[in-house]
């Protein structure tokens, strides 16, 4: 069978760069395959995707050599219109893909351009909207929808044209755990029902492997480092070598001394075959391991009591929520999209005022302080980096807060350079912000707050779009400044982050607080998981697979062991 996508000795260099981004790529993708492309930031995976969907060379200019064919046609001879009929792309940022004022208009866009008769257009829009479960929202504006719903609309917009290849660019980056799980299930369902060829670009390996994939393409420095099955990948040292996070259950099995082999089908906790010896090894490790320390009861630094808030449209975002943040802790605030997490941070920072309740910082009434006065002690890093960046150059953006505070130029230079090094941005210090990826922009905004040395820092999705190496660098830096006394509050969808770095989690859902407990307790409570749209950790499944009834204790032991190993 001939491949439908074929790279042969393909090299690509952007006009703005001296060296090629892609080097001598040889890759074949066949009809009906589901392929995952992963690798660290800057490895070339997004550039590879842009070559497949036609953004290269039509939107990004440069030079290429070698050959790239899609359905046997050389892409150099095709127009962007021709390629759009073969490859449909769902972007990481759904808002950047919408063109219609309503969901129905957005889905119908491609059909309108093809002058499809109105009756047929309505039928096809209704059909594809039903397939992705947005039929009830056809008359809503896309901007009114949740993150998961927006992604479904974007998917419908490319499916309606019946393209044979679907390309997903980090589909999980902005979704809560439960919605991300549903997204992977939806992609798998579309792949099976339409026999579509699916290409997924994603950092979150374990989440993508919730449903089977045929191959994993691992990239590094613009080259293909590996083209293997998931079982072969997880049984090798490739993930460690190239800085990709392995699934938690794989890490736990390794801590217990279990050898990971392809024949054990380790690609999913649902399929893995463990021998009696493997199970006994896990049990022995668990019984010998320490559960670690319980969350502390230190001095309360920030105290929110009985906070309620509703937006002008009447939607109640927070309803009688009380949260105490203790000095020196790392706290996670978790919940589904729209649960009220970001609203809570806006109230603390002064961007909004609560309708009821009180906010105290070190015993002082925050309501009496301006946004600027609060910012001297409380730093806030927003979820969308584009909403924070105001300078053209990276170094200028990070230095802006220090300049407005009148810090001497010599000290500004030192503090900016030190922070850029920690955040992995020092090599780009003379670059314009516009040249960075979404994940790199996120690091710029974190650096611009960290450089101010606040008492408490609130980060909204601090690791979204980050590869494992940069994720680890940022989180270890946050842990280091936490050890020095800075309190860290993280609003996150990343359950790995919550387990690895936080002892306590506050769970919000529909504006109400559902829980305030140890992270292990939160992620091993099936009822709470369902109510809050979170996702059970694979460690919970591993514990039950090995006959360990105390799943919470098992997860606590893993956390303690993992922190000890990484330390």
């Amino acid at each position: 069978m001939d491949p439908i996508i074929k790279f042969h000795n393909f090299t690509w260099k952007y006009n703005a760069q001296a060296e090629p981004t892609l080097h001598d790529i040889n890759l074949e993708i066949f009809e009906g395959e589901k392929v995952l492309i992963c690798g660290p930031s800057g490895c070339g995976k997004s550039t590879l995707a842009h070559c497949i969907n036609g953004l290269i060379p039509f939107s990004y200019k440069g030079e290429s050599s070698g050959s790239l064919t899609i359905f046997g046609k050389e892409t150099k001879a095709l127009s962007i219109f021709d390629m759009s009929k073969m490859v449909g792309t769902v972007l990481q940022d759904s808002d950047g893909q919408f063109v219609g004022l309503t969901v129905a208009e957005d889905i119908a866009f491609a059909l309108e351009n093809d002058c499809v008769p109105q009756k047929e257009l309505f039928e096809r829009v209704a059909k594809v909207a039903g397939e992705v479960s947005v039929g009830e929202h056809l008359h809503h504006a896309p901007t009114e929808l949740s993150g998961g719903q927006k992604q479904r609309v974007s998917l419908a917009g490319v499916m309606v044209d019946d393209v044979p290849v679907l390309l997903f660019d980090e589909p999980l980056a902005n979704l809560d755990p439960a919605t991300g799980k549903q997204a992977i299930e939806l992609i798998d369902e579309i792949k099976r029902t339409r026999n579509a060829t699916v290409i997924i670009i994603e950092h979150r390996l374990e989440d993508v492997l919730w449903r089977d994939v045929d191959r994993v393409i691992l990239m590094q420095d613009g080259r293909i480092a590996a083209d293997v099955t998931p079982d072969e990948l997880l049984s090798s040292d490739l993930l460690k070598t190239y800085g990709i996070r392995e699934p938690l259950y794989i890490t736990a099995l390794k801590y217990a001394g279990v050898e990971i082999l392809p024949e054990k089908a380790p690609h999913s906790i649902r399929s893995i075959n463990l021998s009696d010896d493997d199970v006994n090894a896990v049990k022995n490790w668990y019984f010998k391991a320490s559960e670690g320390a319980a969350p502390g009861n230190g001095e309360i630094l920030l105290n929110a009591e009985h906070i309620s808030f509703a937006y002008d449209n009447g939607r109640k975002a927070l309803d009688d929520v009380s949260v105490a943040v203790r000095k020196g802790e790392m706290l996670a605030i978790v919940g589904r999209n729209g649960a009220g997490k970001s609203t809570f941070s806006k109230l603390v920072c002064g961007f909004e005022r609560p309708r009821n309740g009180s906010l105290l910082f070190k015993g002082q009434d925050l309501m009496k302080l301006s946004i600027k006065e609060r910012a001297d002690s409380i730093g806030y890093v927003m979820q969308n980096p584009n909403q924070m960046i105001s300078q053209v150059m990276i170094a200028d953006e990070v230095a802006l807060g220090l300049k407005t505070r009148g810090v001497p130029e010599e000290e500004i230079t030192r503090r900016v350079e030190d922070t850029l090094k920690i955040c992995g941005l020092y090599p780009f210090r003379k670059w314009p912000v516009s040249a960075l990826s979404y994940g790199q922009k996120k690091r710029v905004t974190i650096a611009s707050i960290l450089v101010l040395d606040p008492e408490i820092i609130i980060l909204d999705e601090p690791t979204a779009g980050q590869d494992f190496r940069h994720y680890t660098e940022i989180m270890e830096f946050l842990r280091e400044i936490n050890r020095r006394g800075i309190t860290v509050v993280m609003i996150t969808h990343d359950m790995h982050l919550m387990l690895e770095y936080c002892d306590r989690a506050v769970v919000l859902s529909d504006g109400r607080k559902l829980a305030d407990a140890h992270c292990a307790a939160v992620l091993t409570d099936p009822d709470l998981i369902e109510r809050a749209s979170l996702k059970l950790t694979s460690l919970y499944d591993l514990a039950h697979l090995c006959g360990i009834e105390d799943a919470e204790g098992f997860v606590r032991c893993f956390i303690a062991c993992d922190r000890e190993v990484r330390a």
Side-chain angles (χ1 to χ4, degrees):
M1 183 170 64
D2 293 330
I4 60 173
I5 298 173
K6 183 176 181 179
F7 290 85
H8 179 67
N9 296 336
F10 184 84
T11 296
W12 170 264
K13 182 181 78 68
Y14 291 99
N15 283 340
Q17 295 183 347
E19 297 295 327
T21 299
L22 297 179
H23 300 266
D24 199 29
I25 300 295
N26 287 285
L27 173 65
E28 296 181 347
I29 298 175
F30 294 87
E31 183 178 2
E33 275 195 306
K34 188 202 287 187
V35 176
L36 169 63
I37 301 176
C38 65
S41 293
C43 69
K45 57 185 184 295
S46 293
T47 299
L48 189 76
H50 292 159
C51 293
I52 294 172
N53 65 18
L55 289 178
I56 290 176
F58 295 103
S59 292
Y60 305 104
K61 302 301 181 181
E63 301 174 2
S64 67
S65 61
S67 170
L68 168 56
T69 58
I70 300 181
F71 290 97
K73 299 176 181 178
E74 186 67 46
T75 56
K76 294 175 185 177
L78 298 174
S79 67
I80 187 69
F81 177 80
D82 294 330
M83 297 188 71
S84 72
K85 294 297 180 182
M86 295 185 286
V87 181
T89 304
V90 178
L91 299 174
Q92 175 183 351
D93 180 10
S94 297
D95 289 328
Q97 193 159 351
F98 294 136
V99 294
L101 296 179
T102 67
V103 169
E105 289 178 8
D106 197 80
I107 296 174
F109 181 73
L111 302 181
E112 289 176 329
N113 279 277
D114 290 342
C115 299
V116 172
Q118 192 176 72
K119 183 174 183 291
E120 181 185 348
L121 181 147
F122 286 163
E123 291 174 351
R124 288 171 66 177
V125 167
K127 180 177 182 293
V128 76
E131 287 185 71
V132 299
S133 302
V134 294
E136 297 179 357
H137 305 287
L138 287 176
H139 300 295
H140 294 182
T143 52
E144 296 175 353
L145 304 181
S146 69
Q149 290 168 336
K150 287 179 179 180
Q151 189 181 73
R152 288 169 181 264
V153 173
S154 297
L155 177 56
V158 297
M159 284 173 53
V160 76
D161 215 14
D162 203 23
V163 290
V165 179
L166 294 174
L167 174 63
F168 296 87
D169 186 1
E170 296 202 34
L172 306 179
N174 298 313
L175 301 181
D176 61 58
T179 305
K181 179 181 173 183
Q182 293 167 7
I184 292 300
E185 291 170 348
L186 176 62
I187 292 170
D188 189 63
E189 177 68 16
I190 297 301
K191 187 261 182 191
R192 288 189 295 105
T193 56
R194 293 198 167 206
N195 195 34
T197 302
V198 172
I199 303 169
I200 302 173
I201 299 170
E202 185 55 69
H203 291 292
R204 291 159 59 174
L205 178 67
E206 180 175 344
D207 293 326
V208 175
L209 293 182
W210 172 247
R211 286 290 183 263
D212 292 346
V213 304
D214 297 302
R215 287 189 289 151
V216 180
I217 311 299
L218 185 59
M219 296 193 66
Q220 174 73 6
D221 296 330
R223 293 178 168 84
I224 294 179
D227 181 349
V228 294
T229 67
D231 288 332
E232 292 170 336
L233 179 67
L234 294 177
S235 304
S236 70
D237 292 328
L238 288 169
L239 295 178
K240 181 178 180 181
T241 300
Y242 295 106
I244 307 297
R245 185 213 301 272
E246 66 185 8
L248 284 179
Y249 64 92
I250 295 292
T251 304
L253 288 169
K254 289 181 177 178
Y255 287 163
V258 175
E259 186 178 8
I260 310 299
L261 301 172
E263 52 266 30
K264 292 181 180 179
H267 65 273
S268 170
I269 189 63
R270 297 176 296 121
S271 67
I272 193 167
N273 299 314
L274 297 179
S275 67
D276 290 342
D277 288 342
D278 294 336
V279 170
N280 289 332
V282 173
K283 288 181 176 179
N284 290 336
W285 169 79
Y286 164 61
F287 291 135
K288 293 177 182 178
S290 166
E291 291 192 6
N297 293 307
E299 169 194 349
I300 293 178
L301 184 63
L302 173 67
N303 197 17
E305 292 187 337
H306 306 293
I307 294 294
S308 294
F309 176 79
Y311 287 101
D312 291 339
N313 61 8
R315 182 176 70 86
K316 185 172 283 188
L318 290 174
D319 185 8
D320 194 29
V321 171
S322 296
V323 176
V325 181
R326 301 186 181 280
K327 183 176 177 62
E329 76 172 333
M330 293 183 76
L331 171 71
I333 301 179
V334 299
R336 65 163 63 93
N337 293 95
K341 306 183 300 296
S342 296
T343 299
F344 176 79
S345 63
K346 291 176 183 177
L347 294 175
V348 171
C349 295
F351 305 147
E352 303 283 359
R353 291 184 65 84
R355 304 291 172 88
N356 301 102
S358 64
L359 284 168
L360 302 176
F361 182 76
K362 298 170 67 173
Q364 184 178 11
D365 187 357
L366 279 178
M367 306 289 198
K368 298 179 180 179
L369 302 181
S370 67
I371 293 175
K372 179 183 180 302
E373 289 170 327
R374 298 187 200 195
D376 289 335
S377 301
I378 304 172
Y380 177 52
V381 180
M382 300 172 71
Q383 180 175 357
N384 185 347
N386 295 319
Q387 294 176 345
M388 287 186 68
I389 293 170
S390 62
Q391 303 299 298
V392 174
M393 306 302 291
I394 293 172
D396 292 339
E397 178 64 33
V398 177
L400 182 62
L402 297 176
K403 290 179 178 178
T404 59
R405 285 163 171 78
V407 175
E409 193 65 35
E410 190 173 303
E411 184 180 348
I412 289 176
T413 300
R414 177 184 60 79
R415 289 171 64 175
V416 167
E417 289 185 353
D418 288 347
T419 305
L420 288 174
K421 289 175 182 177
I422 292 296
C423 293
L425 292 167
Y426 187 75
F428 313 115
R429 61 194 180 280
K430 297 181 180 179
W431 283 30
V433 176
S434 59
L436 300 182
S437 68
Y438 183 89
Q440 289 169 328
K441 288 180 181 178
K442 186 77 173 182
R443 276 185 271 148
V444 170
T445 60
I446 294 175
S448 68
I449 297 300
L450 294 179
V451 77
L452 301 177
D453 198 24
E455 283 189 75
I456 180 171
I457 181 169
I458 302 173
L459 302 107
D460 198 344
E461 296 292 350
T463 57
Q466 302 296 312
D467 63 39
F468 187 47
R469 180 169 64 87
H470 289 122
Y471 161 101
T472 302
E473 287 177 355
I474 289 171
M475 292 310 304
E476 289 299 328
F477 174 64
L478 290 175
R479 170 173 279 179
E480 180 58 32
I481 65 171
N482 175 252
R483 290 192 185 105
R484 298 176 183 178
I486 296 179
T487 302
V488 179
V489 178
M490 290 174 284
I491 298 168
T492 184
H493 289 146
D494 191 334
M495 300 297 97
H496 286 194
L497 178 153
M498 174 176 150
L499 280 176
E500 291 171 335
Y501 292 95
C502 300
D503 290 319
R504 186 165 68 98
V506 172
V507 183
L508 300 179
S509 180
D510 296 327
R512 297 189 66 86
K513 186 174 78 171
L514 297 185
D516 183 342
H518 192 284
C519 296
V522 169
L523 293 183
T524 55
D525 184 337
D527 179 62
L528 178 61
I529 291 291
E530 183 175 354
R531 291 165 61 203
S533 293
L534 302 178
K535 191 178 73 168
L536 285 168
T537 171
S538 58
L539 299 173
Y540 174 91
D541 297 315
L542 179 60
H544 284 279
L545 186 63
C546 295
I548 298 170
E549 294 184 5
D550 183 11
E552 180 184 341
F554 181 80
V555 174
R556 284 175 181 261
C557 288
F558 172 83
I559 293 170
C561 180
D562 189 60
R563 290 179 181 175
E564 183 179 339
V565 169
R566 286 187 288 111

